[in-house]
Amino acid sequence: MNSGPSIYKAVIFGILLVSTLACQSGNQKVADTDTPNAVRDLLIDRIFWKPGPTGKAGEAPLNLHRFTITNTSPKYSYNKIAVRFDYYDRAHHKIDSAKQTVERTLEPRAAISIGELPTGPAKPETTSATVTVLTAVGKVLP
């Protein structure tokens, strides 16, 4: 049994594979941290949603949100933080969404708590909600 050519093919394939992977590692892009990027820097957590009380008879309750926004950037502050609320039913299907702007300034490495932010009428089939940062105005602090 002659396995000589098979060994050579395996060695050549291995060398080609290693060289291809080595060439690929230098092509990865590094995140640009020299410009403000709200989606990268702002973290939303401690999210709580509930339908609020109804006002007048026949009115739908409002969506009420509580959450925390943390600025993970060491050098950028953010204000005019635009967020999107997505609403889901029991089967986790998206049924509605709303946008809101948080008009507060968030300093570098700081967090702010947002409490009882109303966003519009709550649909009765809503069982959960998420909050996503869309945009914000960022600036470097002197």
Side-chain angles (χ1 to χ4, degrees):
M1 214 166 164
N2 190 356
S3 62
S6 296
I7 291 174
Y8 290 123
K9 288 180 184 177
V11 170
I12 291 172
F13 177 76
I15 291 170
L16 288 173
L17 181 64
V18 169
S19 64
T20 301
L21 292 174
C23 291
Q24 293 296 321
S25 65
N27 293 336
Q28 296 175 351
K29 287 190 173 184
V30 177
D32 182 12
T33 57
D34 289 339
T35 59
N37 182 332
V39 173
R40 175 195 67 214
D41 293 341
L42 301 181
L43 171 71
I44 296 183
D45 62 353
R46 299 181 201 119
I47 300 168
F48 179 77
W49 164 86
K50 70 177 181 179
T54 57
K56 301 174 184 172
E59 278 187 0
L62 294 176
N63 289 303
L64 296 177
H65 297 272
R66 286 195 324 243
F67 55 95
T68 301
I69 306 174
T70 303
N71 184 356
T72 63
S73 171
K75 63 181 179 180
Y76 297 111
S77 67
Y78 289 94
N79 63 4
K80 297 183 182 175
I81 304 165
V83 295
R84 183 186 66 233
F85 302 98
D86 292 318
Y87 303 99
Y88 300 88
D89 65 10
R90 188 170 308 284
H92 306 290
H93 295 112
K94 184 176 170 181
I95 56 174
D96 200 6
S97 65
K99 293 179 184 175
Q100 190 85 7
T101 300
V102 176
E103 296 285 347
R104 292 176 60 184
T105 299
L106 186 52
E107 301 298 328
R109 302 277 188 204
I112 56 174
S113 181
I114 308 297
E116 298 291 315
L117 182 65
T119 62
K123 292 189 174 188
E125 61 271 22
T126 303
T127 59
S128 64
T130 60
V131 185
T132 305
V133 172
L134 298 176
T135 61
V137 176
K139 65 179 181 176
V140 177
L141 290 182

